[in-house]
Amino acid sequence: MQCTLCSSISKPFCADKKRQYFRCTECDLIFADPDTLLSQAEEKLIYDYHENGPNDVGYREFLNHLASPLLDKLSPGMEGLDFGSGPGPTLNLMLEEQGMKMSVYDIYYAPDIGQLSCLYDFVTCTEVAEHFREPNKSWPQLIDLVKPGGWLGVMTCMFTKETADDFNLWSYKGDPTHISFYTPKTMQWIARHFRLELEIVSNRVILFKALI
């Protein structure tokens, strides 16, 4: 199987009742068999049930795991894009409250592709990268939105163990819309491949800086 991120050889890693997963021998991406993915209509139906929004204090606290370290890198007045803002955009409002100028894009809920023709001082991508069907296309798209010297803030839960048994027991894998899984090694590969500086804040928060 060809890796959906780097096109290298990937080997069968594990399987459950719904699908098989492969692990890349080069970039360490773990991904679901592309033939077993939900349709976009099925995927959106699941997203429609999400009830997160700007009035949810717990959701704001969750997003702050990314917002706080990212804000340490930014200055008021900078322009950002929340890529994959979801049905209840919130992170953009949190950053606007801190003096940033924000735009949003979401393939289902804010599909204005004009937002993807601009360059931004920073881009956020929270709980989106695990949904990438074609990470070999989505990651370059994300990175190309960032100005030289700008920041890309990503939130996705990384797999930090090793065995297939660990992966099968991992709750993050249980969401049927989660199909691309990253490890610290994968993030290091992305940084090298796209010539980015990498800062792994936690097992869920990753910051990339575009080189000048």
Side-chain angles (χ1 to χ4, degrees):
M1 177 68 72
Q2 189 178 60
C3 176
T4 56
L5 175 59
C6 74
S7 300
S8 298
I9 296 173
S10 298
K11 296 181 179 180
F13 182 50
C14 68
D16 56 27
K17 294 180 180 180
K18 295 181 179 179
R19 54 177 56 144
Q20 187 172 15
Y21 297 85
F22 297 84
R23 190 167 192 171
C24 181
T25 58
E26 175 63 25
C27 73
D28 210 34
L29 183 78
I30 301 169
F31 60 96
D33 183 343
D35 292 333
T36 65
L37 306 188
L38 300 178
S39 68
Q40 287 191 312
E42 291 170 326
E43 185 179 58
K44 182 179 181 298
L45 187 61
I46 293 174
Y47 299 156
D48 286 342
Y49 282 102
H50 290 186
E51 297 181 347
N52 298 324
N55 295 322
D56 185 332
V57 175
Y59 186 46
R60 279 177 169 258
E61 290 177 351
F62 174 71
L63 293 176
N64 198 50
H65 288 294
L66 174 64
S68 181
L70 180 60
L71 283 166
D72 288 341
K73 315 290 186 182
L74 307 179
S75 300
M78 284 186 168
E79 297 182 355
L81 174 73
D82 187 16
F83 183 97
S85 52
T90 302
L91 181 59
N92 62 305
L93 300 178
M94 293 170 59
L95 294 170
E96 285 175 353
E97 291 165 2
Q98 300 301 316
M100 306 304 159
K101 298 177 181 179
M102 295 298 299
S103 300
V104 297
Y105 172 80
D106 189 281
I107 189 174
Y108 296 123
Y109 303 103
D112 180 1
I113 59 173
Q115 306 288 10
L116 305 181
S117 62
C118 303
L119 290 177
Y120 299 91
D121 297 306
F122 64 96
V123 175
T124 59
C125 179
T126 57
E127 296 300 308
V128 176
E130 64 274 11
H131 302 284
F132 286 165
R133 293 169 176 264
E134 297 177 296
N136 62 326
K137 296 180 180 179
S138 297
W139 279 98
Q141 181 184 46
L142 265 181
I143 293 162
D144 285 346
L145 293 168
V146 183
K147 293 179 181 179
W151 291 89
L152 170 61
V154 176
M155 179 182 282
T156 188
C157 196
M158 291 187 291
F159 181 64
T160 57
K161 297 185 179 180
E162 287 297 326
T163 72
D165 287 341
D166 290 328
F167 186 75
N168 269 327
L169 292 171
W170 192 32
S171 60
Y172 204 64
K173 166 188 162 291
D175 186 326
T177 68
H178 290 183
I179 53 179
S180 294
F181 304 91
Y182 308 85
T183 69
K185 182 179 177 180
T186 315
M187 296 304 179
Q188 292 163 4
W189 183 92
I190 290 170
R192 289 195 305 272
H193 184 75
F194 294 104
R195 298 185 66 249
L196 307 169
E197 291 183 9
L198 170 66
E199 182 178 336
I200 296 178
V201 179
S202 70
N203 289 342
R204 199 161 200 152
V205 175
I206 305 96
L207 300 178
F208 296 98
K209 185 179 182 179
L211 297 179
I212 298 174

